Amino acid sequence: MNPEFDLLLENLIDFDEFSKIQSELSSIVNFSVVTVNTDGKPFSSLSNFSTFCQLIRSSDAGRQACVSCDNYALKHSLELGHSIVYDCHCGLKDCAAPIIVNGVLLGGVLGGQVLVQEQDRELIDTEKLASQFHLCKDDLDRVVSEIPVVAEDYIQRCLRFYSFFAEYIAEKSYKTIIQQQLDRETIERIRQQQIASAQTLKRIQAQMNPHFLFNALNSIARTALLSGAEDTEHLIYDLSNYLRYTIKNTSDTPTIEEELNNLNHYLNIQKVRFGDKITCHINVEESIRSCRIPSMTLQPLVENSFIHGLKDCMANGIIKIDITKTHKNRINDILIQIYDNGCGISKDIINLLQAEETLDNPASGLGLMNTQTRIKKMYGSEYGITIDSKVFTYTKIDILLPVTYH
């Protein structure tokens, strides 16, 4: 059973509707019935209860003793794997039918409240019960005399009825669980579609008349060259190539080499802005340069280091990018590590990112969130991003991916 579901009868069954059905069935078959949760506490009304049991449960101590007794009977029936007949704490014959869904105990259906021999009535110590549960002995003597004595066949019919009713509740609960699962899957599918739609919209917006943009940049670059401004020319070409990759890259999984080329264009632009304040080091294992990874994996995460981690850096800022093979999950896995010695990320934000919660504030790490979602959707839950950070000291982002060449 999926642990993420709250497996409580009150969350799986409509109380009012269920109590009505239980009461009507109890009246038809003339059996006492109570449906309880896993602790033995009643989930439903007490249908057709004997006057004796009603009196015992009218006191707090008596009610608690009944709940404990029902709980014990349920656990015992679960151990045996079937409905049982047992003696309750007051000496009456009762039945217990466990409600089980996929091996999980959700509660049980109980009832009976009878004697099978007349002499059993004399074994009920009303003086002890009166003292134990703070009840009037005369009242107890009266209701004990009203307890019906039945044949063994009656007990077996009771047991079959409780088993049937427990199976009915288990089936209703199972259908509710399946519906909850479908609802959650639908919500997740809609969320993924919303993310995909947002990314598509951004791409469409970015593709609006890109030829004009690139032609304009190339014209500016040629003008800079004719003016002898070589650094400006290189910067414009870096910007042009970076934008072209971002806008026109339609491959879901470019090679690591292609991602690195785009990242270098981005870093060249940032170097003009930050100068020697921030130094970037890239180390890549040569054998995996042709491996494929999700598009725009590296640049958004390195950008996080610039605009969040090192935004207030005045000197000695460091960003390290290491891409190597690892045996963390399997032999053929890739580990991308992005480190910066900036201001770090708070534990609250890390917890949100790791829990894949929606972040209202884009500055809190939307790039991280989108990348995490894409990786898990493409490769499965064992892959994705983990974060190690210490506030005012460093941030290290690990991205685990499978080795793929196609």
Side-chain angles (χ1 to χ4, degrees), residues 64-301:
Q64 184 55 50
C66 290
V67 167
S68 298
C69 181
D70 291 346
N71 180 43
Y72 174 80
L74 264 186
K75 298 295 172 57
H76 187 49
S77 67
L78 177 64
E79 291 173 0
L80 296 175
H82 57 74
S83 303
I84 62 170
V85 177
Y86 66 99
D87 293 326
C88 81
H89 67 104
C90 291
L92 278 64
K93 288 292 182 184
D94 272 343
C95 304
I99 301 169
I100 302 172
V101 177
N102 285 7
V104 178
L105 180 67
L106 301 186
V109 179
L110 302 101
Q113 304 173 357
V114 295
L115 300 173
V116 293
Q117 299 182 72
E118 181 59 40
Q119 56 265 37
D120 292 339
R121 197 185 310 275
E122 299 175 2
L123 299 178
I124 300 175
D125 191 341
T126 55
E127 185 173 349
K128 179 182 177 182
L129 293 176
S131 174
Q132 183 179 0
F133 301 136
H134 312 293
L135 297 170
C136 175
K137 184 178 181 302
D138 291 342
D139 290 340
L140 281 168
D141 288 334
R142 175 178 53 78
V143 294
V144 165
S145 67
E146 297 172 357
I147 299 173
V149 177
V150 301
E152 185 65 31
D153 178 62
Y154 178 91
I155 295 291
Q156 294 305 316
R157 282 189 285 119
C158 283
L159 198 63
R160 287 194 294 272
F161 170 74
Y162 299 136
S163 297
F164 158 77
F165 200 37
E167 289 175 3
Y168 165 77
I169 299 169
E171 183 177 344
K172 289 279 288 183
S173 300
Y174 181 72
K175 287 181 179 179
T176 302
I177 291 169
I178 293 300
Q179 187 59 53
Q180 287 179 352
Q181 185 173 1
L182 290 173
D183 290 345
R184 294 189 184 195
E185 289 175 355
T186 299
I187 291 171
E188 176 61 20
R189 186 165 58 251
I190 291 172
R191 191 174 77 90
Q192 295 292 348
Q193 289 172 348
Q194 288 174 337
I195 292 173
S197 297
Q199 292 174 340
T200 301
L201 178 59
K202 289 179 181 179
R203 186 174 292 251
I204 291 172
Q205 290 171 337
Q207 286 176 337
M208 293 174 62
N209 203 7
H211 294 295
F212 170 79
L213 173 63
F214 295 135
N215 288 337
L217 288 172
N218 288 334
S219 297
I220 296 170
R222 284 195 298 271
T223 301
L225 176 63
L226 294 174
S227 301
E230 293 184 6
D231 289 343
T232 303
E233 177 201 7
H234 294 156
L235 176 62
I236 293 171
Y237 280 129
D238 277 321
L239 176 59
S240 178
N241 290 329
Y242 167 74
L243 291 174
R244 181 177 285 108
Y245 183 89
T246 303
I247 294 173
K248 289 192 172 184
N249 180 32
T250 57
S251 172
D252 287 333
T253 53
T255 64
I256 291 176
E257 184 71 23
E258 291 170 330
E259 279 283 289
L260 285 171
N261 287 338
N262 180 59
L263 177 62
N264 280 319
H265 292 310
Y266 173 80
L267 292 175
N268 289 337
I269 296 168
Q270 292 292 54
K271 186 171 180 59
V272 173
R273 177 184 173 190
F274 290 96
D276 295 331
K277 294 178 183 178
I278 299 175
T279 305
C280 295
H281 305 279
I282 300 177
N283 174 48
V284 185
E285 196 170 311
E286 291 298 321
S287 64
I288 57 175
R289 283 182 175 267
S290 60
C291 292
R292 295 187 175 273
I293 61 176
S295 174
M296 297 299 290
T297 295
L298 298 179
Q299 184 273 329
L301 302 187

Side-chain angles (χ1 to χ4, degrees), residues 9 18 22 33-37 41-44 99 108-109 165 169:
L9 280 178
F18 173 74
Q22 176 185 284
V33 184
V34 62
T35 303
V36 301
N37 62 21
K41 295 179 180 178
F43 161 70
S44 68
I99 301 169
V109 179
F165 200 37
I169 299 169

